[in-house]
Amino acid sequence: MSVDKKGLSRRDFLKTTGIATGALVGGGLIGGLVGYNVNKEGQVAGTGDHKGAGGEPTAVSNRGLMYFTNMAEFNVLSQAVERIFPEDDLGPGAIALGAPYFIDNQLAGNYGSNVKEYMQGPFFAGEATQGYQSKLTRAEIFRQGIAIMDEQANKRFKQGFVDLEGAQMDEIITAFQKNEIDMKGVSSEFFFKLLRQATLEGVYADPIYNGNVNMDAWRMKEFPGNQMTYIAEIENEKFVKYEPVSLTSMEH
């Protein structure tokens, strides 16, 4: 089902959700936001190219992998995040914005290893308000979740996840969201929330972290980025639109 049919446009989503800093999307929105990026011919929207062997994404090929050594896993991740943040007429999707590479780089660091967090037992099933309650690190959760996505694709549709139609991918991702998939040491709902949050952070983070390529996600929200000062326009009564600035531009 398209966003328009549900009464929510992506323009409204970008303007009202306040996710420029990577906050979570409200529950249930995935059903309206997914479904745009892969057509019946397997073309990845926004790249102008078809998926390569095994569904390998063609966009943002200049980014380097730091965590994933198996491209099949990375390709499943890439297609999943594109379903969460698809390209449409307002701008690029998660793949073109580099979100898969952002997530890969984060999993290779402190985020993926939970090195700065208390990770000792006992471990019990936590309430929704209690936050992180798994003995697994985020890297372990992502790797397990990606593997089960592919398993579900083969179980349900006799194909790998990257070879599925968009609606079929959505069915599997939504099953994770609804906690209908069995995972070890963590709930599938929790994995979905991690995946969704990491996707949005990769889309909207400063490009210095290998996401938000060309600051195009900021441009969609008219977010100015890391401006040095607003003093020249602070008393201007008219709206001033700034070209966004990345932290990378301050390195020189």
Side-chain angles (χ1 to χ4, degrees):
M1 182 179 290
S2 71
V3 172
D4 292 337
K5 289 181 180 179
K6 292 179 73 67
L8 175 70
S9 71
R10 180 160 169 187
R11 186 178 299 277
D12 292 334
F13 169 74
L14 292 171
K15 286 183 176 180
T16 62
T17 54
I19 56 175
T21 58
L24 288 175
V25 184
L29 279 179
I30 187 173
L33 294 175
V34 300
Y36 286 95
N37 62 311
V38 182
N39 62 29
K40 291 184 178 180
E41 288 73 36
Q43 186 173 8
V44 181
T47 65
D49 298 313
H50 286 68
K51 291 184 289 185
E56 183 174 352
T58 57
V60 206
S61 59
N62 62 319
R63 265 31 182 194
L65 295 180
M66 299 173 63
Y67 176 72
F68 289 100
T69 57
N70 183 334
M71 284 305 297
E73 291 179 320
F74 182 70
N75 294 337
V76 171
L77 171 68
S78 298
Q79 295 304 317
V81 299
E82 184 76 6
R83 301 310 297 171
I84 292 173
F85 196 93
E87 169 163 349
D88 63 12
D89 59 339
L90 293 178
I95 289 178
L97 288 167
Y101 290 88
F102 168 88
I103 295 172
D104 166 85
N105 294 176
Q106 293 299 308
L107 291 177
N110 292 343
Y111 171 84
S113 62
N114 298 62
V115 71
K116 294 186 177 181
E117 299 169 54
Y118 183 82
M119 295 292 289
Q120 302 300 314
F123 296 100
F124 300 102
E127 299 297 329
T129 57
Q130 289 185 296
Y132 207 100
Q133 295 292 317
S134 176
K135 63 181 179 180
L136 303 178
T137 65
R138 293 185 187 88
E140 291 170 331
I141 292 173
F142 267 83
R143 190 150 247 162
Q144 181 187 172
I146 288 169
I148 294 177
M149 278 187 181
D150 220 29
E151 290 174 5
Q152 286 291 315
N154 281 282
K155 180 179 178 180
R156 297 176 188 227
F157 306 111
K158 311 301 181 186
Q159 297 185 88
F161 186 84
V162 298
D163 297 315
L164 299 181
E165 300 285 340
Q168 294 171 327
M169 293 183 185
D170 296 348
E171 177 183 316
I172 293 172
I173 295 172
T174 301
F176 276 86
Q177 181 191 22
K178 293 181 177 180
N179 209 28
E180 297 172 350
I181 307 295
D182 290 331
M183 293 183 66
K184 295 180 180 179
V186 69
S187 69
S188 64
E189 179 185 20
F190 185 72
F191 166 66
F192 169 80
K193 289 179 178 179
L194 284 182
L195 178 65
R196 179 177 60 181
Q197 181 175 354
T199 299
L200 296 175
E201 289 176 352
V203 164
Y204 289 110
D206 191 285
I208 198 171
Y209 301 107
N210 272 345
N212 191 11
V213 174
N214 199 35
M215 297 175 286
D216 284 338
W218 287 352
R219 289 186 175 88
M220 283 190 280
K221 288 187 71 73
E222 296 184 348
F223 179 68
N226 296 285
Q227 301 287 332
M228 291 293 291
T229 178
Y230 296 94
I231 194 168
E233 305 290 350
I234 197 169
E235 295 184 0
N236 195 326
E237 295 182 358
K238 296 182 179 179
F239 175 77
V240 178
K241 185 176 180 179
Y242 283 82
E243 183 67 11
V245 174
S246 166
L247 288 171
T248 56
S249 64
M250 301 179 184
E251 293 178 342
H252 304 292

